Amino acid sequence: MKRQLSLLLFVVGLSSVLLLLFTLTTTAPQASGAALPAPLDWPAAPSAAPEVGVAKWHISGFARPGGKIVYNVVYWNDGDESAANVIITDTLPLSTTYAGDTSGLTPDIGANDVITWHIGNLPVPGNDDNWGVFAVTLDVDAGIITGTEVITVNCATISTSTPGDANPDNDTSCSGPVDVWDSDVGINVNKWP
């Protein structure tokens, strides 16, 4: 009986070892030198790309004939690659002309009142140098009509020569229209960060 039990344990043990070897050689191709096939549902590694954006708005209130209107522009790169040759373009609304801005750049003012700021390269986030903000001042024609929403919506667009922008929906931003009234001057001041 003792001998039969030993033989039975030997056979079971040998079977287990053979089953384990068979399983390893049929389910693990690397054991025989073959590479594992990549699963079809694995996503491809994302490639690095910039993610530039722009926002534009105007200071609250209304414009006056012969007066000024001020717009603010903020731009950024939130991607994981630097954005090269970044430019911002803006087509001025009718009855306005460019008066100046606080960008520190000299913009090109082309035909059809298109302003182009050559920002240059925008690095990836990390040192707070991946964004900028500036104000743009426009002169309002003295002969402009008065009324609600006389100065139309004004849009700025940002672009880069580096491909792959993951969110092109934020590459254009438009301010609301501006009322024009010829009334007594009321002076006020606002300040915020």
Side-chain angles (χ1 to χ4, degrees):
M1 179 80 168
K2 198 175 190 183
R3 189 171 199 187
Q4 289 174 338
L5 183 59
S6 295
L7 184 60
L8 180 62
L9 289 175
F10 175 75
V11 170
V12 169
L14 184 59
S15 298
S16 297
V17 169
L18 291 174
L19 181 61
L20 180 63
L21 287 173
F22 175 77
T23 303
L24 288 175
T25 58
T26 59
T27 60
Q30 74 272 18
S32 62
L36 280 173
L40 296 177
D41 59 347
W42 281 8
S47 56
E51 200 295 284
V52 296
V54 67
K56 181 172 187 179
W57 67 98
H58 65 81
I59 303 297
S60 63
F62 60 89
R64 295 174 49 83
K68 308 249 185 233
I69 184 167
V70 178
Y71 293 92
N72 291 313
V73 177
V74 63
Y75 59 92
W76 61 87
N77 174 18
D78 283 340
D80 50 11
E81 182 176 328
S82 292
N85 304 313
V86 174
I87 63 169
I88 295 174
T89 57
D90 186 353
T91 302
L92 297 180
L94 294 175
S95 301
T96 64
T97 53
Y98 175 80
D101 68 67
T102 61
S103 68
L105 304 169
T106 303
D108 296 332
I109 303 182
N112 302 320
D113 293 323
V114 176
I115 305 173
T116 303
W117 290 272
H118 297 272
I119 305 298
N121 297 337
L122 279 179
V124 297
N127 296 320
D128 286 337
D129 54 356
N130 66 311
W131 66 281
V133 63
F134 60 94
V136 181
T137 303
L138 303 181
D139 289 326
V140 179
D141 291 348
I144 193 171
I145 63 168
T146 58
T148 303
E149 300 183 357
V150 172
I151 298 176
T152 59
V153 168
N154 185 231
C155 302
T157 300
I158 192 168
S159 62
T160 175
S161 63
T162 308
D165 189 341
N167 183 14
D169 293 340
N170 65 2
D171 291 354
T172 297
S173 177
C174 301
S175 70
V178 179
D179 298 346
V180 177
W181 301 109
D182 192 7
S183 63
D184 293 336
V185 174
I187 296 176
N188 60 52
V189 65
N190 290 318
K191 182 177 180 182
W192 62 92

